[in-house]
Amino acid sequence: MIVVLRKEATAEEIKAVIERLHEFGFRTHVSEGVEKTIIGAIGEKTADKIQRLEMTPGVEKIVPILQPYKLAGREFKATGSTVAVGPVVFGGKKVPVIAGPCAVESEEQMLTIAKAVAKSGAAMLRGGAYKPRTSPYSFQGLEKAGLEILAEAKRVTGLPVVTEVVNPGDVEQVAAVADMFQIGARNMQNYALLRAVGLSSKPVMLKRGLSATITEWLMAAEYILSSGNNDVVLCERGIRTYETETRNTLDLSAVPVIHEISHLPVIVDPSHGTGKWRLVLPMSKAAVAAGADGLMVEVHHKPEEAMSDGPQSLRPENFHEMMEQIAAVAAAVGREI
Ligand code: PEP
Ligand code: MN
């Protein structure tokens, strides 16, 4: 529910209302507007609690949150959230770019790519150690050895790392290396996994499910938020449509829609979103122009030899060009790379 305070409510009254909400077992978020302060409150409502709150000095009215996603919605929190991954901030003026291979294949491969993308201005590294592949016969990732290589890439470049976790039982092991968890599209509705990362204190990048509506995606975010982890970054990575020219249909309209209905930052993955490296540059520019709070791009120094997703991977020189071009788009829309 939303507790709307009177225009003339004093600071002491507001403090007392918040204390009462906490006493009643609500989780709160205060949004201070120019005119009025509103408090988003999540918890178990009873007629008695509502009546007592309505009578508390400073309270104007109590309105229910109508959206099914309570914590992820703008009704609960009117201002956009920022999520920090070490020095990298999603949801601010900067548009951080995450880059790296689809999968960690070897130390030589990961370090070559990591150094190249760092040089071109990537803010974070990516690389899958656990790969949830469509086919059980495809390369499944180097697992623990892959995590160790990621740790080395992080040490060499100084950049934070995001990597996918596919099993609730692996959360602790992945957290030892990752600065941010990635929940892949195929696991967007793996509720045990969402709860497991929700109990962790590390930020989570939640990719949109292959056929998920925006509401389903936000409800998945709600599992993480309601488990206690506020640091969720959404990632649009394309959805399944009847179109076959591209691997997925990159739904860029999701970016302004999310900004309208949710306070969570949203980034775009044009690599999985299109499946074709030639489309990554134009769609990256379009994503930044649409207001994306970051990008995630696959880069490989030898895409023709990549063990996964070679056709959608940029070569380091193409990535460099992309970084130059998106910087110009970002400046045009009041952002920075
Ligand atoms: C990935 O980013 O490596 C990945 C597997 O993406 P998605 O879950 O979006 O398919
Ligand atoms: Mn991939």
Side-chain angles (χ1 to χ4, degrees), residues 106-322:
S106 68
E107 183 167 311
E108 193 243 330
Q109 171 248 19
M110 187 66 216
L111 290 185
T112 304
I113 300 166
K115 285 184 206 164
V117 298
K119 214 165 143 194
S120 297
M124 276 180 70
L125 299 177
R126 65 149 286 145
Y130 295 90
K131 297 301 301 174
R133 305 302 298 282
T134 300
S135 163
Y137 309 117
S138 302
F139 175 56
Q140 304 285 310
L142 295 181
E143 305 186 341
K144 197 162 182 314
L147 291 177
E148 282 159 19
I149 295 171
L150 279 174
E152 179 65 4
K154 180 168 144 177
R155 198 189 59 72
V156 170
T157 59
L159 297 181
V161 162
V162 58
T163 195
E164 183 160 355
V165 56
V166 296
N167 261 311
D170 293 339
V171 164
E172 218 172 295
Q173 189 182 52
V174 172
V177 171
D179 299 282
M180 183 184 218
F181 292 113
Q182 176 173 324
I183 301 293
R186 290 158 192 78
N187 272 316
M188 190 204 82
Q189 286 178 315
N190 180 339
Y191 300 121
L193 183 61
L194 298 177
R195 284 221 163 92
V197 293
L199 291 172
S200 152
S201 55
K202 294 248 157 137
V204 180
M205 177 206 291
L206 177 64
K207 298 192 97 177
R208 182 176 182 178
L210 279 79
S211 305
T213 64
I214 289 175
T215 297
E216 287 163 344
W217 188 15
L218 288 174
M219 291 313 287
E222 199 74 16
Y223 268 87
I224 304 171
L225 298 168
S226 64
S227 302
N229 191 339
N230 292 327
D231 292 329
V232 177
V233 174
L234 301 167
C235 178
E236 163 59 43
R237 48 78 72 206
I239 47 172
R240 178 70 55 89
T241 69
Y242 52 78
E243 183 53 67
T244 55
E245 276 299 318
T246 46
R247 180 177 177 186
N248 292 292
T249 296
L250 186 62
D251 179 14
L252 282 186
S253 64
V255 172
V257 169
I258 290 290
H259 282 152
E260 214 172 282
I261 61 182
S262 172
H263 55 87
L264 298 174
V266 56
I267 70 167
V268 171
D269 170 356
S271 305
H272 294 88
T274 63
K276 294 184 172 176
W277 73 268
R278 280 184 190 283
L279 301 181
V280 171
L281 173 57
M283 297 319 283
S284 295
K285 290 194 281 187
V288 174
D293 297 305
L295 292 173
M296 182 157 83
V297 174
E298 287 184 343
V299 177
H300 202 289
H301 64 310
K302 288 181 190 159
E304 62 285 355
E305 287 173 24
M307 293 173 89
S308 62
D309 289 349
Q312 67 192 35
S313 299
L314 293 179
R315 290 177 194 276
E317 55 272 27
N318 301 130
F319 177 71
H320 192 81
E321 189 192 343
M322 185 200 95

Side-chain angles (χ1 to χ4, degrees), residues 1-13:
M1 65 193 185
I2 305 293
V3 180
V4 182
L5 297 163
R6 289 183 192 285
K7 217 158 81 180
E8 57 281 0
T10 64
E12 286 75 45
E13 283 174 340

